[in-house]
Amino acid sequence: MMIDKKENELFFENWIYKREYYKNFNYNVLSHINYEIRPSRKEEKESFSDCFIMLDTETSKKYKNRIDVNYIVAFSISLRAFNKNIVTLYGNKPSQCIDCINRILKSLKSLKTIVYVHNLSYDWIFLRQFLFSEYGTPIRQLNTKSHYPIVIEFANGLILKDSLILAQRKLEKWAEDLNAEHKKAVGKWDYNKIRTQNEIFTNDELEYIENDTLVGVECLDILKKTLHKHVYSMPFTATGIPREELRKIAFKNHGKEWFNRLVPDYLQYKKLEKIYHGGFTHANRHFIGQTVKGLISCYDFASSYPFCLLSEKYPCEKFQKTNTNCDIKYIVKDSENFAFMFKFTAIAIKLKDTDFPMPCLQFSKCVNTVNAIIDNGRILYADYVEIYLNEQDAITILEQYDFYKHICSEVEFSKKDYLPKWLTDYVFRLFTEKTQYKGGDIVLYALSKAKLNSVYGMCVQKCVKEIIEEIYSSGEYIKHKFDSENSEEDLYITYTESRNSFLPYFIGVWCTSYAQKNLFELGKCCETWLYSDTDSCYGINWNIEKVSKYNQKCKDKLVKNNYSCVIHNNREYWLGIAEHDGKKDEYSEFKTMGAKRYCGRCNADNELHITVAGVPKNGSVCLKNDINNFKKGLIFEGKKTGKKQHTYIYKEFYIDENGIEIADSIDLSDCDYLLDEVNVNEEWENLINEEVNIQIYD
């Protein structure tokens, strides 16, 4: 069926947006929304509605302070097309929500219609049984992990997409970053109020549910225009944005041929998975539980991972195997020109400086250990260890540890060189754009910042991903195991042969190792290193001259690869240097209870700020402005922090005595968090003072 796109656009030329109860709206209006044909090799071309639609629900529970079923008490659906907000429709019951979707689908002329949900994993639970009843079970579903679907498609052409994984931020922040016309109506909905499905909403409540979806379609439209996309070609995730851009650049520069020359075989890939480690996060064990007073300063790296992509050398040929076992010193000696991956086996390995606060050897990455003494996941001493390393991690381990005997086996090597210019130029362009847009175009700044932060993520995504399937009858999620017919090795080969694969996994592995080595170098610039998290160091008595020398070294590395600074507003911006933002990075009090558990009184506002994994930042209110309350046994109360516990409840659909439609739900209850501390094995102190009998293992 042909459509007159110009005529449809003229139809909405003087359109006035409205918010309307879903049954009162004239859905014939939607027949004037265009559709687009997605290019396809299939004989049957697919048409998609050329509009953004977002759905959201609000829920209530039957009883206060009790885990019971929650149920939908409000829904809103906003539509935007032709750069205009068309309508926001609302109602109460889940069955009404399905009715509203049906009316929309019937009026639109496309075969497929995409409906976004910000945090699909939540709303999906409440709507799934009602959707199954109307449309049957999905024909396609992509899950990132259990209970986290990002795309769900039904046979009738309805496609649900998660916008949260694309935005990588809450709706309120997304609207702020992209300067959307509307903003989330924070505070205008009482989540503690018990409601029915016959609720008559106040103007404030209507504004709240309206803006939850209106903001969403505005942000999606802004993103679409900025990326020069179609509705059907919008990326699924934030990482998908730079991946698609870089893939096009790679194809123009023979990137696939480069990939084919370097890509490891399956066994090498599995070894690389063992070598890869995350960022270094650790607390100085000598100060755990102690309040440190004075001038505590923090230095952060400027774009640590992008810097390593531009400044360092990576494997530039296929890894070659050697039958010769060797000493770790030989590997370190050749680390400037060669990349190595190998298994490191050591007997009686121990820190050289028993007081050194930041041991690098990660217990969880060890293949085998005997009698390991652990400091918050890092090894202080072990009778025996086996771990897979590359030459960059070997440099740090050789600096920090002594061992009675050791051997490097399964050694493979490759020459090293800079990454191809089409890749590093793209990374530098993103850094340039982020810098130049700062303080200017907030949309382009937010997008360039997100893309720069996502480039590293592209390099460390697993080549073979587990298939996670939702069992629609029970709501459970299962991971499909690899089998002989669909083995992991076969899937890896399929991945390497795909025309869309162009970034070898080892880039992310080496990038992380370089970044960790840089962090240890920065940590040497202060007298007392208190805490570290991936790209930042908190310490006392910083040697500014050492920091300056480190920064000059970073600059020299960039210049050596023909990159320099970005000048904006008469200021130089360099990748990789250690930065300190005045009083914002200074603390008069500091206390840590272990990794991802620290607190400090910032000199900029004289307020306590916390970082505790699993606790919102506003949890600092529980300290009552006293850092001494940040201690083992402190309870961060869910009522104060807003932290919620998710309890999934699966029930047969029924209608209760009040006419409330109830099916599957999630109970959100206040969740307290008990602060604990990290304890180092008591044997460590004994080990320092006693002679140890070393057992030798073959």
Side-chain angles (χ1 to χ4, degrees):
M1 180 178 63
M2 298 297 294
I3 58 171
D4 190 330
K5 292 188 176 183
K6 189 63 179 176
E7 183 180 322
N8 286 340
E9 187 175 358
L10 289 172
F11 177 86
F12 285 104
E13 187 174 12
N14 297 312
W15 181 261
I16 298 175
Y17 162 81
K18 61 184 74 175
R19 177 187 71 209
E20 200 159 358
Y21 180 64
Y22 90 99
K23 285 187 177 179
N24 298 337
F25 181 62
N26 177 14
Y27 288 84
N28 290 331
V29 167
L30 304 183
S31 65
H32 293 278
I33 290 178
N34 294 332
Y35 63 81
E36 293 187 313
I37 306 295
R38 180 170 66 180
S40 173
R41 298 177 183 177
K42 301 176 183 178
E43 291 184 7
E44 294 183 7
K45 304 297 183 183
E46 297 174 321
S47 60
F48 287 79
S49 300
D50 189 17
C51 62
F52 281 113
I53 306 174
M54 183 167 277
L55 162 68
D56 186 49
T57 64
E58 302 297 340
T59 61
S60 179
K61 63 170 59 179
K62 294 183 73 172
Y63 308 103
K64 275 188 178 179
N65 303 321
R66 169 184 162 182
I67 292 182
D68 201 277
V69 290
N70 281 8
Y71 47 85
I72 292 173
V73 293
F75 72 87
S76 60
I77 299 177
S78 292
L79 290 92
R80 180 178 173 89
F82 302 104
N83 302 317
K84 290 175 177 286
N85 294 324
I86 306 301
V87 67
T88 295
L89 306 166
Y90 69 90
N92 297 85
K93 299 184 177 184
S95 60
Q96 293 175 343
C97 182
I98 303 302
D99 184 26
C100 183
I101 292 173
N102 278 336
R103 295 180 188 220
I104 292 171
L105 296 179
K106 185 178 179 181
S107 302
L108 295 170
K109 302 303 182 183
S110 60
L111 292 175
K112 296 193 174 186
T113 300
I114 298 170
V115 176
Y116 280 92
V117 183
H118 208 70
N119 194 7
L120 177 59
S121 61
Y122 183 80
D123 300 77
W124 169 244
I125 297 296
F126 290 91
L127 288 171
R128 60 193 294 277
Q129 285 201 44
F130 299 95
L131 290 163
F132 295 163
S133 178
E134 188 71 15
Y135 308 131
T137 55
I139 60 172
R140 179 172 70 104
Q141 181 167 334
L142 177 61
N143 306 295
T144 56
K145 54 184 176 178
S146 295
H147 295 98
Y148 278 86
I150 60 172
V151 180
I152 302 171
E153 182 175 356
F154 291 89
N156 70 331
L158 172 65
I159 301 173
L160 301 177
K161 275 190 175 183
D162 182 37
S163 54
L164 178 59
I165 199 169
L166 174 60
Q168 291 291 307
R169 67 205 82 180
K170 293 181 178 180
L171 199 59
E172 179 182 358
K173 185 71 166 62
W174 201 20
E176 179 185 324
D177 287 347
L178 298 188
N179 197 26
E181 178 185 347
H182 291 82
K183 301 293 185 287
K184 186 174 168 66
V186 177
K188 293 193 174 183
W189 182 274
D190 182 0
Y191 279 97
N192 293 317
K193 181 180 177 181
I194 295 177
R195 305 172 187 269
T196 71
Q197 289 177 346
N198 298 312
E199 190 87 9
I200 298 175
F201 304 116
T202 66
N203 283 332
D204 277 354
E205 290 170 337
L206 284 173
E207 183 183 351
Y208 183 89
I209 62 176
E210 173 188 19
N211 283 19
D212 264 8
T213 50
L214 196 57
V215 164
V217 294
E218 289 175 353
C219 288
L220 287 164
D221 204 16
I222 292 169
L223 191 60
K224 172 197 162 192
K225 292 171 193 170
T226 308
L227 296 175
H228 307 291
K229 290 289 184 184
H230 300 277
V231 171
Y232 62 75
S233 64
M234 291 284 285
F236 289 167
T237 67
T239 306
I241 298 172
R243 182 190 293 112
E244 187 172 332
E245 289 181 352
L246 190 54
R247 183 185 290 125
K248 290 178 180 178
I249 295 171
F251 286 171
K252 291 179 181 177
N253 291 274
H254 308 290
K256 181 60 179 175
E257 291 86 341
W258 171 77
F259 173 86
N260 291 338
R261 289 197 304 271
L262 300 181
V263 63
D265 63 31
Y266 174 69
L267 293 178
Q268 291 171 329
Y269 166 67
K270 295 305 290 181
K271 185 185 289 189
L272 287 166
E273 279 191 333
K274 294 175 184 176
I275 295 171
Y276 172 74
H277 54 76
F280 182 85
T281 302
H282 201 74
N284 185 328
R285 64 184 179 280
H286 304 299
F287 289 90
I288 287 177
Q290 299 181 31
T291 299
V292 181
K293 295 189 177 183
L295 179 60
I296 300 97
S297 298
C298 174
Y299 278 83
D300 290 279
F301 289 133
S303 302
S304 174
Y305 290 144
F307 165 73
C308 292
L309 292 173
L310 267 63
S311 64
E312 304 292 354
K313 293 182 178 181
Y314 292 77
C316 67
E317 63 183 16
K318 280 188 180 293
F319 278 93
Q320 302 177 52
K321 299 178 182 179
T322 173
N323 295 323
T324 306
N325 297 331
C326 64
D327 189 295
I328 193 171
K329 292 179 182 177
Y330 295 133
I331 288 174
V332 170
K333 181 181 177 182
D334 287 335
S335 62
E336 184 68 28
N337 299 312
F338 289 91
F340 292 88
M341 58 179 181
F342 58 96
K343 183 168 75 172
F344 173 71
T345 304
I347 295 171
I349 185 168
K350 177 183 176 182
L351 280 176
K352 290 180 179 179
D353 177 0
T354 54
D355 289 329
F356 183 66
M358 299 290 172
C360 67
L361 194 55
Q362 192 170 343
F363 177 74
S364 64
K365 296 300 294 185
C366 291
V367 179
N368 285 303
T369 61
V370 176
N371 297 335
I373 297 175
I374 310 300
D375 168 20
N376 200 191
R378 305 283 168 171
I379 292 178
L380 302 173
Y381 170 87
D383 283 346
Y384 177 88
V385 296
E386 284 180 25
I387 188 171
Y388 284 89
L389 305 172
N390 62 21
E391 82 287 349
Q392 296 305 310
D393 296 324
I395 293 170
T396 309
I397 286 173
L398 195 58
E399 284 182 354
Q400 293 187 9
Y401 291 89
D402 280 327
F403 21 82
Y404 176 71
K405 283 188 177 181
H406 83 283
I407 195 169
C408 299
S409 57
E410 301 178 32
V411 180
E412 300 183 60
F413 66 93
S414 164
K415 287 183 180 179
K416 286 202 297 193
D417 202 349
Y418 292 115
L419 293 171
K421 278 295 181 182
W422 56 261
L423 172 54
T424 54
D425 283 351
Y426 176 74
V427 175
F428 190 72
R429 174 164 67 83
L430 293 181
F431 176 71
T432 302
E433 290 174 353
K434 172 196 167 187
T435 303
Q436 293 178 340
Y437 290 139
K438 190 172 185 178
D441 190 313
I442 61 175
V443 175
L444 293 175
Y445 173 72
L447 183 59
S448 58
K449 182 180 179 181
K451 288 196 291 186
L452 181 64
N453 293 339
S454 297
V455 170
Y456 165 76
M458 291 191 298
C459 301
V460 292
Q461 290 187 333
K462 287 191 174 183
C463 304
V464 181
K465 297 181 177 64
E466 293 176 308
I467 298 174
I468 302 171
E469 180 185 3
E470 179 180 355
I471 306 302
Y472 298 122
S473 58
S474 65
E476 295 177 301
Y477 284 75
I478 61 170
K479 293 181 180 180
H480 285 282
K481 295 182 178 179
F482 303 112
D483 52 40
S484 56
E485 293 183 3
N486 204 22
S487 71
E488 185 178 13
E489 184 172 1
D490 290 337
L491 292 173
Y492 178 74
I493 292 171
T494 300
Y495 161 81
T496 60
E497 293 175 349
S498 169
R499 64 187 297 272
N500 291 323
S501 301
F502 66 100
L503 287 176
Y505 177 71
F506 61 68
I507 294 177
V509 177
W510 259 258
C511 181
T512 311
S513 295
Y514 279 124
Q516 178 175 282
K517 187 160 69 73
N518 291 341
L519 188 71
F520 279 104
E521 192 168 347
L522 177 62
K524 295 174 185 176
C525 297
C526 65
E527 183 179 302
T528 306
W529 188 358
L530 293 172
Y531 187 86
S532 188
D533 191 351
T534 305
D535 61 356
S536 61
C537 288
Y538 293 77
I540 304 172
N541 294 334
W542 284 86
N543 187 320
I544 305 304
E545 185 179 346
K546 282 187 177 181
V547 174
S548 297
K549 286 181 179 179
Y550 174 82
N551 285 342
Q552 187 58 51
K553 181 180 175 181
C554 292
K555 295 174 183 179
D556 293 343
K557 280 186 173 183
L558 287 170
V559 171
K560 191 174 180 180
N561 195 22
N562 297 312
Y563 293 103
S564 185
C565 62
V566 176
I567 299 176
H568 179 59
N569 290 337
N570 297 318
R571 176 184 166 185
E572 290 186 357
Y573 291 84
W574 288 87
L575 280 159
I577 63 171
E579 298 179 315
H580 175 71
D581 193 6
K583 289 188 175 182
K584 290 182 180 179
D585 283 332
E586 293 177 351
Y587 300 83
S588 58
E589 298 177 304
F590 188 87
K591 191 174 183 180
T592 178
M593 305 299 290
K596 295 293 185 182
R597 283 168 279 186
Y598 63 95
C599 172
R601 187 178 299 280
C602 183
N603 285 348
D605 57 12
N606 202 34
E607 297 289 335
L608 289 176
H609 298 263
I610 66 163
T611 294
V612 178
V615 176
K617 293 290 186 183
N618 65 356
S620 58
V621 69
C622 299
L623 300 177
K624 300 177 181 178
N625 201 33
D626 185 351
I627 198 170
N628 293 316
N629 290 328
F630 190 76
K631 60 184 179 181
K632 182 178 181 179
L634 170 66
I635 296 175
F636 289 99
E637 297 177 38
K639 287 183 179 180
K640 293 182 179 179
T641 66
K643 180 177 173 61
K644 300 293 183 183
Q645 175 179 306
H646 286 56
T647 303
Y648 293 90
I649 302 170
Y650 295 97
K651 289 199 172 189
E652 293 289 332
F653 167 73
Y654 69 97
I655 300 176
D656 74 0
E657 65 278 5
N658 297 314
I660 296 175
E661 301 171 352
I662 297 175
D664 302 332
S665 67
I666 302 174
D667 180 78
L668 292 178
S669 53
D670 293 329
C671 180
D672 295 344
Y673 180 94
L674 177 64
L675 185 64
D676 204 347
E677 68 180 7
V678 173
N679 291 315
V680 181
N681 300 35
E682 292 180 1
E683 293 91 338
W684 176 243
E685 295 301 327
N686 296 330
L687 186 67
I688 296 173
N689 300 316
E690 296 178 6
E691 290 186 6
V692 179
N693 234 350
I694 299 172
Q695 292 287 328
I696 305 300
Y697 300 90
D698 289 332

